[in-house]
Amino acid sequence: MDTRIRDAIDESIKELKNMQDKVEGFIDDLPDDTQEIKRATKSALDHLGTVLTKVVDQAGNTAEEAQLQAHLGVMEAKDKLDASRVVLDDVLARSAEESKKILDEVELKQHLAKMEAQDFWEERGSKLAEEFQASAADMQDLAEKAASELSSAFTQWNEQFKSRK
């Protein structure tokens, strides 16, 4: 049981006994012809003290039992957490292995693609470069021819406008 609760209960019992002592002192001061009242009052106070002490002990036992149950519940939860941790660690380990396999596969595919690109360039690269140069030369010739034809067309138009003046 919590020490603060136990201290409060102990203080209550102490105050009850203090009250019993004062009441008994008061009863003892009563005249002798009230012996039956004295005895009944003392008996009632003793019974009250006994009942209160019994209730306090039961409450203490109940609180201690509840605390024990809570402790057992925490221990059970910890055991289940430990058991699930093993499963979780296993799942994570398998996931890590799968991830590594996937990354290895991606790395292998990347390397194969690079090798294919190198093979392609070695086989076709020089031909493509030649075709591009030839194409570039053809394009330049076409551009020069188009520019020359455009210039000729402008010249002819200019001549036509001059002759009309």
Side-chain angles (χ1 to χ4, degrees):
M1 182 184 335
D2 186 61
T3 57
R4 293 178 294 171
I5 295 172
R6 178 52 103 185
D7 291 345
I9 292 170
D10 289 343
E11 185 66 29
S12 296
I13 292 173
K14 181 180 162 187
E15 288 300 321
L16 175 66
K17 289 191 189 282
N18 190 16
M19 183 184 73
Q20 280 178 310
D21 291 341
K22 287 181 182 178
V23 169
E24 285 177 7
F26 176 74
I27 292 172
D28 286 340
D29 291 341
L30 291 174
D32 289 339
D33 59 347
T34 60
Q35 285 297 326
E36 189 60 34
I37 296 173
K38 287 181 182 182
R39 208 173 18 263
T41 305
K42 283 185 180 186
S43 175
L45 287 174
D46 286 342
H47 181 69
L48 179 62
T50 302
V51 168
L52 184 59
T53 302
K54 186 176 180 181
V55 167
V56 166
D57 287 342
Q58 286 176 347
N61 291 339
T62 303
E64 288 172 0
E65 183 178 335
Q67 193 174 19
L68 177 63
Q69 290 297 325
H71 181 70
L72 290 174
V74 168
M75 294 299 292
E76 183 178 350
K78 183 185 178 299
D79 289 345
K80 288 184 179 183
L81 177 65
D82 289 343
S84 66
R85 183 173 287 140
V86 170
V87 172
L88 182 62
D89 288 346
D90 182 50
V91 168
L92 289 175
R94 280 191 268 148
S95 295
E97 288 174 18
E98 286 297 317
S99 296
K100 186 175 179 343
K101 285 178 186 176
I102 290 171
L103 289 174
D104 288 346
E105 186 177 323
V106 166
E107 190 176 319
L108 177 62
K109 287 180 179 180
Q110 177 189 9
H111 181 70
L112 291 174
K114 180 181 173 187
M115 289 177 62
E116 284 181 26
Q118 285 175 339
D119 288 347
F120 176 79
W121 185 251
E122 287 173 4
E123 290 177 17
R124 295 272 303 145
S126 59
K127 291 178 186 174
L128 285 174
E130 288 173 12
E131 288 175 9
F132 179 73
Q133 285 181 346
S135 174
D138 289 345
M139 290 300 288
Q140 189 171 355
D141 288 345
L142 284 174
E144 287 174 11
K145 184 177 177 184
S148 176
E149 288 176 4
L150 188 60
S151 178
S152 292
F154 287 151
T155 303
Q156 286 176 0
W157 291 341
N158 279 331
E159 289 298 321
Q160 287 178 1
F161 284 121
K162 283 184 188 177
S163 62
R164 290 194 181 188
K165 277 187 172 183

